[in-house]
Amino acid sequence: MTTALAPELTAADRCDRCGAQAYIRARLVSGGELLFCAHHGREHLPALKDKALDIRDETDRLNEIPGSSPVDER
């Protein structure tokens, strides 16, 4: 897997299988592109390794803790 692909996946990128947020992008040798959520990415990753030029796996973002916003004191 590589991380040299641009740009980073966003919340607008959806899994081709179920429509959930995509965390895995596979660019295929045939010229196409597939997006998968973490669940379906894990399911299909073994088959994709033979058919993909590049695979970008951003599933580590699932463990990120969002920054807290300042508390509005009144």
Side-chain angles (χ1 to χ4, degrees):
M1 285 183 265
T2 68
T3 57
L5 298 175
E8 181 175 282
L9 293 166
T10 69
D13 294 308
R14 311 312 286 179
C15 176
D16 290 326
R17 185 75 181 189
C18 70
Q21 184 173 349
Y23 289 94
I24 297 173
R25 175 190 320 230
R27 296 191 195 239
L28 305 175
V29 173
S30 63
E33 177 180 89
L34 294 172
L35 300 176
F36 290 109
C37 64
H39 166 79
H40 287 113
R42 283 190 296 271
E43 180 181 342
H44 296 290
L45 196 58
L48 288 173
K49 288 183 179 181
D50 294 341
K51 297 171 179 68
L53 290 173
D54 296 298
I55 298 174
R56 180 176 192 140
D57 184 346
E58 297 181 10
T59 55
D60 57 325
R61 293 178 38 218
L62 290 167
N63 296 323
E64 288 179 355
I65 299 173
S68 60
S69 58
V71 177
D72 184 18
E73 295 180 28
R74 294 183 186 183

